[in-house]
């Protein structure tokens, strides 16, 4: 299985990418560890996580094709 | 996919004019409250903001804009229509980056609903801004 | 003497566009709150309003508009500018008869000040309206 | 001495005029009596009076050149 991870705002700059695919990750918790492995500096930033356009506060299982986003505090307007 | 509520670059006077023309097509509304957000040439440590580069999570912006409209329409039942447009990409100081237009039968509903919509937009729209200074350095906000 | 704050007939999209262009000339404002009052095609005893004929006491309108601006600027010290335009004469259903534009550094000041300005206008501007119905009868409001 | 009296809104329709000059009137009270003489129907309407663009609630003396307006309830916007 494959999930799509989007990096926004300062996190796109810090990671040097806007999009990275991850494979064989069971939960958001697993995914976060993988992301911290790839981009250790991410841990220093404040962000929320969305799964398929919904912000999550728990640790759901992931399914093939899921879209996850790492989102720093919003600053629109 | 580019959603209707995101516009590339500034919200120009002709966008606003075409909304005004749309308003005039209906005769059941009496009050329209419009909010325009503009890029300010703020100073940060002696450097002046010359533009903002907005990035948006387009898919989620579309979802959230619909949710905001639903919240407003549920709370203010007299509201007849809501338009929300946000810039993505570069918007220079002085240019407009956010437009909210709420139309209602009477003024109080339009004004209160527009004010609430602006608050919800600030809180819920997945949009980020990078200030670009006159020396071309930048700062995420 | 025709004062700046009174316009003969409806407030057209090009009036609004030129205000938008004026906004973009300054870079110290971040929020603009606009209120547009529109003539509604209301029904009164089965007759439909097709237009309103506004009459205004021009000299006093000028005085009162200045007073309203002073009140707003004193209460909302962050407000940088206020525009008030009201129609006189015939405005058809669907057309705009009142425009209030308040510009401020930040959104809350703009929104609150605009809302207050609209209330003061309703209360203090010496303007009268005669509703003209589709059968050409009329009613003073 | 001469003062200018303006009739607005429904009062312009009721009196059939927007403007009438009055001569040798000492106070607003005097003026009102003169107006009611000329246009008896005015007494049935609710209105405020302004003197030189200021709404008045008392009965000031009038001076040559004063501008008085009879104003039904405002209905702008």
């Amino acid at each position: 299985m494959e999930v799509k991870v989007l990096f926004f705002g300062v996190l796109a700059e810090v990671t040097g990418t806007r999009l990275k695919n991850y494979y064989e990750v069971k939960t958001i918790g697993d995914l976060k560890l993988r992301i911290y492995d790839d981009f250790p500096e991410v841990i220093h930033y404040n962000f929320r996580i969305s799964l398929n356009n919904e912000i999550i506060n728990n640790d759901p299982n992931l399914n093939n094709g899921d879209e996850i986003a790492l989102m720093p505090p919003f600053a629109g307007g | 996919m580019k959603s209707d509520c995101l516009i590339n670059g500034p919200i120009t006077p002709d966008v606003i004019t075409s909304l005004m023309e749309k308003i005039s097509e209906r005769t059941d509304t009496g009050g329209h409250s419009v909010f325009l957000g503009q890029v300010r040439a703020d100073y940060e440590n002696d450097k002046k903001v010359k533009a903002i580069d907005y990035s948006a999570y387009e898919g989620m912006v579309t979802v959230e804009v619909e949710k905001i409209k639903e919240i407003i329409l549920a709370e203010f039942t007299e509201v007849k229509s809501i338009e929300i447009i946000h810039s993505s990409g570069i918007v220079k100081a002085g240019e407009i980056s956010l437009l909210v237009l709420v139309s209602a039968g009477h003024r109080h509903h339009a004004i209160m609903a527009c004010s609430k919509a602006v608050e919800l937009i600030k809180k819920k729209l997945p949009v980020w801004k990078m200030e670009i200074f006159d020396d071309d350095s930048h700062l995420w906000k």
Side-chain angles (χ1 to χ4, degrees), chain A, chain B:
Chain A
M1 57 82 82
E2 176 180 359
V3 299
K4 192 161 89 170
V5 178
L6 305 171
F7 301 92
F8 284 105
V10 66
L11 293 177
E13 183 170 294
V14 160
T15 61
T17 186
R18 288 172 177 272
L19 168 63
K20 188 172 163 66
N21 291 322
Y22 282 88
Y23 304 90
E24 307 308 330
V25 280
K26 292 214 170 55
T27 65
I28 289 284
D30 287 348
L31 177 65
K32 276 168 86 170
L33 293 177
R34 298 272 294 275
I35 293 169
Y36 292 152
D37 265 356
D38 290 342
F39 310 106
E41 58 278 41
V42 167
I43 208 164
H44 301 300
Y45 290 86
N46 180 20
F47 59 88
R48 286 185 290 176
I49 295 176
S50 69
L51 171 60
N52 302 327
N53 293 326
E54 292 288 339
I55 290 174
I56 56 162
N57 297 300
N58 51 359
D59 185 14
N61 291 327
L62 294 175
N63 297 301
N64 190 47
D66 279 348
E67 181 175 292
I68 294 98
L70 270 62
M71 307 188 297
F74 302 159
Chain B
M1 178 209 66
K2 201 80 185 168
S3 57
D4 281 358
C5 43
L6 287 171
I7 204 169
N8 193 34
I11 299 167
T12 51
D14 60 285
V15 172
I16 296 166
T17 306
S18 73
L19 281 176
M20 294 307 110
E21 281 162 0
K22 209 168 139 191
I23 277 178
S24 292
E25 286 165 18
R26 58 193 304 169
T27 57
D28 61 341
T29 49
H32 307 270
S33 182
V34 186
F35 179 80
L36 301 169
Q38 184 185 23
V39 173
R40 275 195 317 272
D42 279 348
Y43 283 85
E44 189 109 26
N45 300 322
D46 290 341
K47 294 189 295 187
K48 191 169 153 188
V49 172
K50 72 172 182 186
I52 288 179
D53 189 354
Y54 287 98
S55 46
Y57 183 4
E58 293 192 15
M60 191 168 164
V61 164
T62 309
V63 170
E64 289 297 324
V65 162
E66 285 312 308
K67 281 189 198 167
I68 289 168
K69 288 183 181 178
E70 280 166 26
I71 290 169
I72 297 295
L73 291 169
E75 184 169 339
F76 302 94
T77 51
E78 269 230 26
V79 166
K80 313 261 184 185
S81 76
I82 309 168
E83 296 279 352
I84 295 172
I85 303 174
H86 200 297
S87 292
S88 67
I90 302 275
V91 181
K92 291 192 283 232
E95 292 178 332
I96 302 296
S97 58
L98 170 63
L99 179 146
V100 183
L101 163 60
V102 177
S103 303
H106 296 92
R107 69 184 186 280
H108 289 121
H109 302 91
I111 291 170
M112 285 186 301
C114 184
S115 175
K116 175 141 188 184
V118 172
E119 295 312 306
L120 289 172
I121 286 162
K122 291 271 176 183
K123 202 169 153 191
K124 292 186 176 289
L125 276 206
V127 175
W128 297 273
K129 61 182 180 190
M130 189 179 84
E131 289 181 346
I132 303 170
F133 298 100
D134 46 9
D135 66 353
D136 289 323
S137 62
H138 70 263
L139 181 68
W140 286 95
K141 277 292 177 90

